[in-house]
PDB file of all heavy atoms in Angstrom:
ATOM      1  N   VAL M   1      76.402 125.468 131.611  1.00 86.00           N
ATOM      2  CA  VAL M   1      77.307 124.357 131.290  1.00 86.00           C
ATOM      3  C   VAL M   1      76.771 123.063 131.902  1.00 86.00           C
ATOM      4  O   VAL M   1      76.749 122.012 131.249  1.00 86.00           O
ATOM      5  CB  VAL M   1      78.746 124.653 131.770  1.00 86.00           C
ATOM      6  CG1 VAL M   1      79.641 123.418 131.619  1.00 86.00           C
ATOM      7  CG2 VAL M   1      79.331 125.839 130.997  1.00 86.00           C
ATOM      8  N   VAL M   2      76.323 123.151 133.150  1.00 86.00           N
ATOM      9  CA  VAL M   2      75.781 121.977 133.842  1.00 86.00           C
ATOM     10  C   VAL M   2      74.611 121.377 133.060  1.00 86.00           C
ATOM     11  O   VAL M   2      74.499 120.160 132.910  1.00 86.00           O
ATOM     12  CB  VAL M   2      75.339 122.343 135.282  1.00 86.00           C
ATOM     13  CG1 VAL M   2      74.602 121.190 135.947  1.00 86.00           C
ATOM     14  CG2 VAL M   2      76.551 122.738 136.115  1.00 86.00           C
ATOM     15  N   THR M   3      73.757 122.233 132.525  1.00 88.00           N
ATOM     16  CA  THR M   3      72.564 121.759 131.806  1.00 88.00           C
ATOM     17  C   THR M   3      72.838 121.431 130.341  1.00 88.00           C
ATOM     18  O   THR M   3      71.937 121.000 129.628  1.00 88.00           O
ATOM     19  CB  THR M   3      71.430 122.798 131.886  1.00 88.00           C
ATOM     20  OG1 THR M   3      71.898 124.030 131.332  1.00 88.00           O
ATOM     21  CG2 THR M   3      70.957 122.997 133.314  1.00 88.00           C
ATOM     22  N   GLY M   4      74.073 121.681 129.880  1.00 90.00           N
ATOM     23  CA  GLY M   4      74.423 121.334 128.510  1.00 90.00           C
ATOM     24  C   GLY M   4      74.100 122.393 127.477  1.00 90.00           C
ATOM     25  O   GLY M   4      74.251 122.173 126.277  1.00 90.00           O
ATOM     26  N   VAL M   5      73.649 123.555 127.907  1.00 90.00           N
ATOM     27  CA  VAL M   5      73.301 124.640 126.981  1.00 90.00           C
ATOM     28  C   VAL M   5      74.565 125.296 126.410  1.00 90.00           C
ATOM     29  O   VAL M   5      74.576 125.761 125.283  1.00 90.00           O
ATOM     30  CB  VAL M   5      72.424 125.700 127.699  1.00 90.00           C
ATOM     31  CG1 VAL M   5      72.169 126.905 126.811  1.00 90.00           C
ATOM     32  CG2 VAL M   5      71.120 125.082 128.157  1.00 90.00           C
ATOM     33  N   ALA M   6      75.631 125.313 127.200  1.00 89.00           N
ATOM     34  CA  ALA M   6      76.879 125.958 126.782  1.00 89.00           C
ATOM     35  C   ALA M   6      78.060 125.082 127.180  1.00 89.00           C
ATOM     36  O   ALA M   6      77.906 124.161 127.987  1.00 89.00           O
ATOM     37  CB  ALA M   6      76.997 127.328 127.439  1.00 89.00           C
ATOM     38  N   GLN M   7      79.225 125.386 126.606  1.00 91.00           N
ATOM     39  CA  GLN M   7      80.452 124.689 126.972  1.00 91.00           C
ATOM     40  C   GLN M   7      81.359 125.643 127.723  1.00 91.00           C
ATOM     41  O   GLN M   7      81.411 126.837 127.421  1.00 91.00           O
ATOM     42  CB  GLN M   7      81.184 124.181 125.732  1.00 91.00           C
ATOM     43  CG  GLN M   7      80.583 122.926 125.147  1.00 91.00           C
ATOM     44  CD  GLN M   7      81.528 122.329 124.104  1.00 91.00           C
ATOM     45  OE1 GLN M   7      82.060 123.044 123.274  1.00 91.00           O
ATOM     46  NE2 GLN M   7      81.720 121.032 124.175  1.00 91.00           N
ATOM     47  N   TYR M   8      82.098 125.100 128.691  1.00 90.00           N
ATOM     48  CA  TYR M   8      83.073 125.906 129.426  1.00 90.00           C
ATOM     49  C   TYR M   8      84.250 126.192 128.490  1.00 90.00           C
ATOM     50  O   TYR M   8      84.804 125.273 127.891  1.00 90.00           O
ATOM     51  CB  TYR M   8      83.546 125.132 130.660  1.00 90.00           C
ATOM     52  CG  TYR M   8      84.233 125.987 131.689  1.00 90.00           C
ATOM     53  CD1 TYR M   8      83.520 126.524 132.757  1.00 90.00           C
ATOM     54  CD2 TYR M   8      85.593 126.256 131.611  1.00 90.00           C
ATOM     55  CE1 TYR M   8      84.146 127.301 133.713  1.00 90.00           C
ATOM     56  CE2 TYR M   8      86.228 127.040 132.554  1.00 90.00           C
ATOM     57  CZ  TYR M   8      85.497 127.557 133.610  1.00 90.00           C
ATOM     58  OH  TYR M   8      86.128 128.342 134.558  1.00 90.00           O
ATOM     59  N   PRO M   9      84.638 127.455 128.337  1.00 92.00           N
ATOM     60  CA  PRO M   9      85.734 127.789 127.413  1.00 92.00           C
ATOM     61  C   PRO M   9      87.057 127.135 127.837  1.00 92.00           C
ATOM     62  O   PRO M   9      87.334 127.001 129.028  1.00 92.00           O
ATOM     63  CB  PRO M   9      85.847 129.312 127.518  1.00 92.00           C
ATOM     64  CG  PRO M   9      84.589 129.769 128.165  1.00 92.00           C
ATOM     65  CD  PRO M   9      84.084 128.629 128.993  1.00 92.00           C
ATOM     66  N   GLU M  10      87.848 126.785 126.849  1.00 93.00           N
ATOM     67  CA  GLU M  10      89.164 126.205 127.121  1.00 93.00           C
ATOM     68  C   GLU M  10      90.229 127.294 127.078  1.00 93.00           C
ATOM     69  O   GLU M  10      90.025 128.348 126.489  1.00 93.00           O
ATOM     70  CB  GLU M  10      89.483 125.120 126.079  1.00 93.00           C
ATOM     71  CG  GLU M  10      88.549 123.926 126.170  1.00 93.00           C
ATOM     72  CD  GLU M  10      88.930 122.832 125.180  1.00 93.00           C
ATOM     73  OE1 GLU M  10      90.024 122.910 124.572  1.00 93.00           O
ATOM     74  OE2 GLU M  10      88.121 121.904 125.017  1.00 93.00           O
ATOM     75  N   HIS M  11      91.361 127.040 127.714  1.00 95.00           N
ATOM     76  CA  HIS M  11      92.552 127.901 127.657  1.00 95.00           C
ATOM     77  C   HIS M  11      92.282 129.334 128.132  1.00 95.00           C
ATOM     78  O   HIS M  11      92.816 130.290 127.571  1.00 95.00           O
ATOM     79  CB  HIS M  11      93.141 127.919 126.237  1.00 95.00           C
ATOM     80  CG  HIS M  11      93.297 126.556 125.634  1.00 95.00           C
ATOM     81  ND1 HIS M  11      94.151 125.612 126.151  1.00 95.00           N
ATOM     82  CD2 HIS M  11      92.677 125.974 124.581  1.00 95.00           C
ATOM     83  CE1 HIS M  11      94.070 124.503 125.436  1.00 95.00           C
ATOM     84  NE2 HIS M  11      93.172 124.695 124.479  1.00 95.00           N
ATOM     85  N   ILE M  12      91.467 129.482 129.160  1.00 96.00           N
ATOM     86  CA  ILE M  12      91.122 130.822 129.659  1.00 96.00           C
ATOM     87  C   ILE M  12      92.357 131.585 130.121  1.00 96.00           C
ATOM     88  O   ILE M  12      92.561 132.741 129.750  1.00 96.00           O
ATOM     89  CB  ILE M  12      90.066 130.737 130.781  1.00 96.00           C
ATOM     90  CG1 ILE M  12      88.717 130.312 130.197  1.00 96.00           C
ATOM     91  CG2 ILE M  12      89.957 132.058 131.527  1.00 96.00           C
ATOM     92  CD1 ILE M  12      87.636 130.075 131.238  1.00 96.00           C
ATOM     93  N   LEU M  13      93.203 130.950 130.938  1.00 95.00           N
ATOM     94  CA  LEU M  13      94.369 131.662 131.478  1.00 95.00           C
ATOM     95  C   LEU M  13      95.327 132.083 130.365  1.00 95.00           C
ATOM     96  O   LEU M  13      95.862 133.198 130.385  1.00 95.00           O
ATOM     97  CB  LEU M  13      95.091 130.804 132.517  1.00 95.00           C
ATOM     98  CG  LEU M  13      94.297 130.527 133.793  1.00 95.00           C
ATOM     99  CD1 LEU M  13      95.065 129.599 134.717  1.00 95.00           C
ATOM    100  CD2 LEU M  13      93.947 131.822 134.516  1.00 95.00           C
ATOM    101  N   GLU M  14      95.511 131.213 129.383  1.00 96.00           N
ATOM    102  CA  GLU M  14      96.390 131.542 128.262  1.00 96.00           C
ATOM    103  C   GLU M  14      95.823 132.720 127.467  1.00 96.00           C
ATOM    104  O   GLU M  14      96.554 133.643 127.089  1.00 96.00           O
ATOM    105  CB  GLU M  14      96.571 130.325 127.338  1.00 96.00           C
ATOM    106  CG  GLU M  14      97.296 129.164 127.972  1.00 96.00           C
ATOM    107  CD  GLU M  14      96.394 128.238 128.794  1.00 96.00           C
ATOM    108  OE1 GLU M  14      95.207 128.571 129.037  1.00 96.00           O
ATOM    109  OE2 GLU M  14      96.893 127.182 129.221  1.00 96.00           O
ATOM    110  N   THR M  15      94.523 132.694 127.223  1.00 95.00           N
ATOM    111  CA  THR M  15      93.876 133.774 126.476  1.00 95.00           C
ATOM    112  C   THR M  15      93.998 135.101 127.228  1.00 95.00           C
ATOM    113  O   THR M  15      94.341 136.127 126.637  1.00 95.00           O
ATOM    114  CB  THR M  15      92.387 133.437 126.226  1.00 95.00           C
ATOM    115  OG1 THR M  15      92.318 132.195 125.509  1.00 95.00           O
ATOM    116  CG2 THR M  15      91.693 134.524 125.434  1.00 95.00           C
ATOM    117  N   LEU M  16      93.736 135.078 128.535  1.00 96.00           N
ATOM    118  CA  LEU M  16      93.839 136.301 129.330  1.00 96.00           C
ATOM    119  C   LEU M  16      95.269 136.833 129.357  1.00 96.00           C
ATOM    120  O   LEU M  16      95.491 138.042 129.347  1.00 96.00           O
ATOM    121  CB  LEU M  16      93.347 136.046 130.763  1.00 96.00           C
ATOM    122  CG  LEU M  16      91.840 135.863 130.922  1.00 96.00           C
ATOM    123  CD1 LEU M  16      91.513 135.383 132.324  1.00 96.00           C
ATOM    124  CD2 LEU M  16      91.096 137.156 130.609  1.00 96.00           C
ATOM    125  N   SER M  17      96.253 135.929 129.382  1.00 96.00           N
ATOM    126  CA  SER M  17      97.664 136.325 129.443  1.00 96.00           C
ATOM    127  C   SER M  17      98.128 137.051 128.187  1.00 96.00           C
ATOM    128  O   SER M  17      99.130 137.760 128.219  1.00 96.00           O
ATOM    129  CB  SER M  17      98.551 135.096 129.675  1.00 96.00           C
ATOM    130  OG  SER M  17      98.297 134.550 130.949  1.00 96.00           O
ATOM    131  N   GLU M  18      97.403 136.893 127.101  1.00 95.00           N
ATOM    132  CA  GLU M  18      97.773 137.567 125.860  1.00 95.00           C
ATOM    133  C   GLU M  18      97.622 139.082 125.970  1.00 95.00           C
ATOM    134  O   GLU M  18      98.343 139.828 125.312  1.00 95.00           O
ATOM    135  CB  GLU M  18      96.932 137.041 124.695  1.00 95.00           C
ATOM    136  CG  GLU M  18      97.260 135.607 124.323  1.00 95.00           C
ATOM    137  CD  GLU M  18      96.272 135.011 123.327  1.00 95.00           C
ATOM    138  OE1 GLU M  18      95.411 135.754 122.791  1.00 95.00           O
ATOM    139  OE2 GLU M  18      96.357 133.800 123.097  1.00 95.00           O
ATOM    140  N   SER M  19      96.679 139.549 126.782  1.00 94.00           N
ATOM    141  CA  SER M  19      96.439 140.987 126.859  1.00 94.00           C
ATOM    142  C   SER M  19      96.488 141.562 128.279  1.00 94.00           C
ATOM    143  O   SER M  19      96.287 142.755 128.462  1.00 94.00           O
ATOM    144  CB  SER M  19      95.083 141.320 126.221  1.00 94.00           C
ATOM    145  OG  SER M  19      94.069 140.532 126.791  1.00 94.00           O
ATOM    146  N   HIS M  20      96.757 140.709 129.282  1.00 96.00           N
ATOM    147  CA  HIS M  20      96.781 141.180 130.675  1.00 96.00           C
ATOM    148  C   HIS M  20      97.940 140.549 131.436  1.00 96.00           C
ATOM    149  O   HIS M  20      98.400 139.468 131.079  1.00 96.00           O
ATOM    150  CB  HIS M  20      95.477 140.800 131.397  1.00 96.00           C
ATOM    151  CG  HIS M  20      94.248 141.335 130.752  1.00 96.00           C
ATOM    152  ND1 HIS M  20      93.904 142.663 130.786  1.00 96.00           N
ATOM    153  CD2 HIS M  20      93.274 140.722 130.038  1.00 96.00           C
ATOM    154  CE1 HIS M  20      92.766 142.845 130.139  1.00 96.00           C
ATOM    155  NE2 HIS M  20      92.376 141.685 129.664  1.00 96.00           N
ATOM    156  N   LYS M  21      98.375 141.229 132.492  1.00 96.00           N
ATOM    157  CA  LYS M  21      99.331 140.618 133.416  1.00 96.00           C
ATOM    158  C   LYS M  21      98.519 139.699 134.324  1.00 96.00           C
ATOM    159  O   LYS M  21      97.693 140.168 135.108  1.00 96.00           O
ATOM    160  CB  LYS M  21     100.057 141.685 134.231  1.00 96.00           C
ATOM    161  CG  LYS M  21     101.044 141.071 135.216  1.00 96.00           C
ATOM    162  CD  LYS M  21     101.746 142.103 136.064  1.00 96.00           C
ATOM    163  CE  LYS M  21     102.665 141.395 137.041  1.00 96.00           C
ATOM    164  NZ  LYS M  21     103.233 142.320 138.015  1.00 96.00           N
ATOM    165  N   VAL M  22      98.745 138.392 134.203  1.00 97.00           N
ATOM    166  CA  VAL M  22      97.968 137.405 134.947  1.00 97.00           C
ATOM    167  C   VAL M  22      98.869 136.690 135.953  1.00 97.00           C
ATOM    168  O   VAL M  22      99.953 136.217 135.612  1.00 97.00           O
ATOM    169  CB  VAL M  22      97.337 136.360 133.993  1.00 97.00           C
ATOM    170  CG1 VAL M  22      96.626 135.271 134.775  1.00 97.00           C
ATOM    171  CG2 VAL M  22      96.372 137.045 133.025  1.00 97.00           C
ATOM    172  N   VAL M  23      98.402 136.640 137.196  1.00 96.00           N
ATOM    173  CA  VAL M  23      99.052 135.846 138.230  1.00 96.00           C
ATOM    174  C   VAL M  23      98.027 134.788 138.632  1.00 96.00           C
ATOM    175  O   VAL M  23      96.949 135.123 139.111  1.00 96.00           O
ATOM    176  CB  VAL M  23      99.433 136.701 139.458  1.00 96.00           C
ATOM    177  CG1 VAL M  23     100.067 135.842 140.532  1.00 96.00           C
ATOM    178  CG2 VAL M  23     100.342 137.853 139.053  1.00 96.00           C
ATOM    179  N   SER M  24      98.361 133.514 138.387  1.00 96.00           N
ATOM    180  CA  SER M  24      97.389 132.475 138.722  1.00 96.00           C
ATOM    181  C   SER M  24      97.960 131.539 139.776  1.00 96.00           C
ATOM    182  O   SER M  24      99.171 131.362 139.888  1.00 96.00           O
ATOM    183  CB  SER M  24      96.990 131.666 137.478  1.00 96.00           C
ATOM    184  OG  SER M  24      98.078 130.904 137.010  1.00 96.00           O
ATOM    185  N   ILE M  25      97.057 130.970 140.560  1.00 96.00           N
ATOM    186  CA  ILE M  25      97.428 130.023 141.601  1.00 96.00           C
ATOM    187  C   ILE M  25      96.273 129.037 141.756  1.00 96.00           C
ATOM    188  O   ILE M  25      95.107 129.424 141.643  1.00 96.00           O
ATOM    189  CB  ILE M  25      97.719 130.742 142.949  1.00 96.00           C
ATOM    190  CG1 ILE M  25      98.166 129.735 144.018  1.00 96.00           C
ATOM    191  CG2 ILE M  25      96.512 131.561 143.411  1.00 96.00           C
ATOM    192  CD1 ILE M  25      98.691 130.375 145.296  1.00 96.00           C
ATOM    193  N   ASP M  26      96.607 127.788 141.976  1.00 96.00           N
ATOM    194  CA  ASP M  26      95.575 126.799 142.303  1.00 96.00           C
ATOM    195  C   ASP M  26      95.389 126.862 143.814  1.00 96.00           C
ATOM    196  O   ASP M  26      95.947 126.072 144.575  1.00 96.00           O
ATOM    197  CB  ASP M  26      95.988 125.398 141.845  1.00 96.00           C
ATOM    198  CG  ASP M  26      94.877 124.372 142.043  1.00 96.00           C
ATOM    199  OD1 ASP M  26      93.926 124.652 142.820  1.00 96.00           O
ATOM    200  OD2 ASP M  26      94.960 123.290 141.451  1.00 96.00           O
ATOM    201  N   ALA M  27      94.624 127.852 144.244  1.00 95.00           N
ATOM    202  CA  ALA M  27      94.467 128.126 145.675  1.00 95.00           C
ATOM    203  C   ALA M  27      93.745 126.993 146.389  1.00 95.00           C
ATOM    204  O   ALA M  27      94.000 126.739 147.567  1.00 95.00           O
ATOM    205  CB  ALA M  27      93.736 129.446 145.881  1.00 95.00           C
ATOM    206  N   MET M  28      92.846 126.293 145.693  1.00 94.00           N
ATOM    207  CA  MET M  28      92.138 125.192 146.327  1.00 94.00           C
ATOM    208  C   MET M  28      93.113 124.071 146.687  1.00 94.00           C
ATOM    209  O   MET M  28      93.065 123.523 147.788  1.00 94.00           O
ATOM    210  CB  MET M  28      91.022 124.672 145.417  1.00 94.00           C
ATOM    211  CG  MET M  28      90.127 123.651 146.085  1.00 94.00           C
ATOM    212  SD  MET M  28      89.296 124.271 147.585  1.00 94.00           S
ATOM    213  CE  MET M  28      88.020 125.284 146.854  1.00 94.00           C
ATOM    214  N   ALA M  29      94.022 123.741 145.773  1.00 96.00           N
ATOM    215  CA  ALA M  29      95.021 122.699 146.056  1.00 96.00           C
ATOM    216  C   ALA M  29      95.914 123.115 147.221  1.00 96.00           C
ATOM    217  O   ALA M  29      96.226 122.299 148.103  1.00 96.00           O
ATOM    218  CB  ALA M  29      95.860 122.429 144.813  1.00 96.00           C
ATOM    219  N   GLU M  30      96.318 124.390 147.247  1.00 96.00           N
ATOM    220  CA  GLU M  30      97.162 124.882 148.340  1.00 96.00           C
ATOM    221  C   GLU M  30      96.408 124.847 149.673  1.00 96.00           C
ATOM    222  O   GLU M  30      96.966 124.495 150.704  1.00 96.00           O
ATOM    223  CB  GLU M  30      97.655 126.302 148.043  1.00 96.00           C
ATOM    224  CG  GLU M  30      98.588 126.394 146.856  1.00 96.00           C
ATOM    225  CD  GLU M  30      99.883 125.620 147.047  1.00 96.00           C
ATOM    226  OE1 GLU M  30     100.412 125.583 148.174  1.00 96.00           O
ATOM    227  OE2 GLU M  30     100.364 125.027 146.061  1.00 96.00           O
ATOM    228  N   ALA M  31      95.125 125.204 149.648  1.00 96.00           N
ATOM    229  CA  ALA M  31      94.317 125.185 150.871  1.00 96.00           C
ATOM    230  C   ALA M  31      94.163 123.760 151.392  1.00 96.00           C
ATOM    231  O   ALA M  31      94.220 123.522 152.600  1.00 96.00           O
ATOM    232  CB  ALA M  31      92.946 125.813 150.604  1.00 96.00           C
ATOM    233  N   LYS M  32      93.977 122.810 150.487  1.00 96.00           N
ATOM    234  CA  LYS M  32      93.850 121.404 150.904  1.00 96.00           C
ATOM    235  C   LYS M  32      95.140 120.912 151.551  1.00 96.00           C
ATOM    236  O   LYS M  32      95.106 120.130 152.499  1.00 96.00           O
ATOM    237  CB  LYS M  32      93.445 120.531 149.722  1.00 96.00           C
ATOM    238  CG  LYS M  32      91.988 120.748 149.335  1.00 96.00           C
ATOM    239  CD  LYS M  32      91.587 119.937 148.117  1.00 96.00           C
ATOM    240  CE  LYS M  32      90.121 120.185 147.774  1.00 96.00           C
ATOM    241  NZ  LYS M  32      89.737 119.545 146.505  1.00 96.00           N
ATOM    242  N   LYS M  33      96.292 121.397 151.064  1.00 97.00           N
ATOM    243  CA  LYS M  33      97.574 121.045 151.694  1.00 97.00           C
ATOM    244  C   LYS M  33      97.619 121.537 153.141  1.00 97.00           C
ATOM    245  O   LYS M  33      98.258 120.927 153.990  1.00 97.00           O
ATOM    246  CB  LYS M  33      98.747 121.649 150.919  1.00 97.00           C
ATOM    247  CG  LYS M  33      99.044 120.985 149.599  1.00 97.00           C
ATOM    248  CD  LYS M  33     100.258 121.665 148.959  1.00 97.00           C
ATOM    249  CE  LYS M  33     100.359 121.363 147.491  1.00 97.00           C
ATOM    250  NZ  LYS M  33     101.392 122.173 146.834  1.00 97.00           N
ATOM    251  N   LEU M  34      96.965 122.670 153.390  1.00 97.00           N
ATOM    252  CA  LEU M  34      96.903 123.217 154.758  1.00 97.00           C
ATOM    253  C   LEU M  34      95.867 122.487 155.610  1.00 97.00           C
ATOM    254  O   LEU M  34      95.783 122.713 156.817  1.00 97.00           O
ATOM    255  CB  LEU M  34      96.562 124.709 154.728  1.00 97.00           C
ATOM    256  CG  LEU M  34      97.630 125.649 154.184  1.00 97.00           C
ATOM    257  CD1 LEU M  34      97.078 127.069 154.078  1.00 97.00           C
ATOM    258  CD2 LEU M  34      98.876 125.621 155.048  1.00 97.00           C
ATOM    259  N   GLY M  35      95.040 121.664 154.965  1.00 96.00           N
ATOM    260  CA  GLY M  35      94.043 120.894 155.698  1.00 96.00           C
ATOM    261  C   GLY M  35      92.690 121.564 155.821  1.00 96.00           C
ATOM    262  O   GLY M  35      91.841 121.112 156.586  1.00 96.00           O
ATOM    263  N   ASN M  36      92.465 122.672 155.075  1.00 95.00           N
ATOM    264  CA  ASN M  36      91.180 123.359 155.158  1.00 95.00           C
ATOM    265  C   ASN M  36      90.881 124.043 153.825  1.00 95.00           C
ATOM    266  O   ASN M  36      91.377 125.141 153.553  1.00 95.00           O
ATOM    267  CB  ASN M  36      91.198 124.392 156.297  1.00 95.00           C
ATOM    268  CG  ASN M  36      89.843 125.033 156.521  1.00 95.00           C
ATOM    269  OD1 ASN M  36      88.995 125.063 155.638  1.00 95.00           O
ATOM    270  ND2 ASN M  36      89.649 125.557 157.718  1.00 95.00           N
ATOM    271  N   ALA M  37      90.075 123.393 152.995  1.00 92.00           N
ATOM    272  CA  ALA M  37      89.768 123.915 151.657  1.00 92.00           C
ATOM    273  C   ALA M  37      89.099 125.284 151.705  1.00 92.00           C
ATOM    274  O   ALA M  37      89.172 126.057 150.750  1.00 92.00           O
ATOM    275  CB  ALA M  37      88.881 122.921 150.904  1.00 92.00           C
ATOM    276  N   ARG M  38      88.446 125.603 152.819  1.00 92.00           N
ATOM    277  CA  ARG M  38      87.699 126.863 152.886  1.00 92.00           C
ATOM    278  C   ARG M  38      88.585 128.103 152.957  1.00 92.00           C
ATOM    279  O   ARG M  38      88.099 129.217 152.783  1.00 92.00           O
ATOM    280  CB  ARG M  38      86.735 126.831 154.071  1.00 92.00           C
ATOM    281  CG  ARG M  38      85.626 125.830 153.816  1.00 92.00           C
ATOM    282  CD  ARG M  38      84.562 125.732 154.864  1.00 92.00           C
ATOM    283  NE  ARG M  38      84.556 126.733 155.886  1.00 92.00           N
ATOM    284  CZ  ARG M  38      83.989 126.583 157.061  1.00 92.00           C
ATOM    285  NH1 ARG M  38      83.392 125.456 157.359  1.00 92.00           N
ATOM    286  NH2 ARG M  38      84.000 127.546 157.954  1.00 92.00           N
ATOM    287  N   VAL M  39      89.886 127.938 153.200  1.00 95.00           N
ATOM    288  CA  VAL M  39      90.759 129.119 153.296  1.00 95.00           C
ATOM    289  C   VAL M  39      91.409 129.472 151.960  1.00 95.00           C
ATOM    290  O   VAL M  39      92.307 130.305 151.907  1.00 95.00           O
ATOM    291  CB  VAL M  39      91.847 128.964 154.396  1.00 95.00           C
ATOM    292  CG1 VAL M  39      91.197 128.830 155.767  1.00 95.00           C
ATOM    293  CG2 VAL M  39      92.793 127.814 154.102  1.00 95.00           C
ATOM    294  N   PHE M  40      90.922 128.873 150.861  1.00 94.00           N
ATOM    295  CA  PHE M  40      91.526 129.174 149.556  1.00 94.00           C
ATOM    296  C   PHE M  40      91.438 130.663 149.242  1.00 94.00           C
ATOM    297  O   PHE M  40      92.340 131.232 148.624  1.00 94.00           O
ATOM    298  CB  PHE M  40      90.894 128.327 148.438  1.00 94.00           C
ATOM    299  CG  PHE M  40      89.598 128.861 147.928  1.00 94.00           C
ATOM    300  CD1 PHE M  40      89.565 129.698 146.828  1.00 94.00           C
ATOM    301  CD2 PHE M  40      88.409 128.539 148.559  1.00 94.00           C
ATOM    302  CE1 PHE M  40      88.365 130.208 146.369  1.00 94.00           C
ATOM    303  CE2 PHE M  40      87.214 129.034 148.097  1.00 94.00           C
ATOM    304  CZ  PHE M  40      87.185 129.877 146.998  1.00 94.00           C
TER     305      PHE M  40
END
């Protein structure tokens, strides 16, 4: 994706939710709230 050879797929979580039980969290945002991104 970085080199432009491919595109990052859109709507991944929605697609996965169609056939799987998905629990998602923006752990990076939550870790930043704690003041340390590395604990995501």
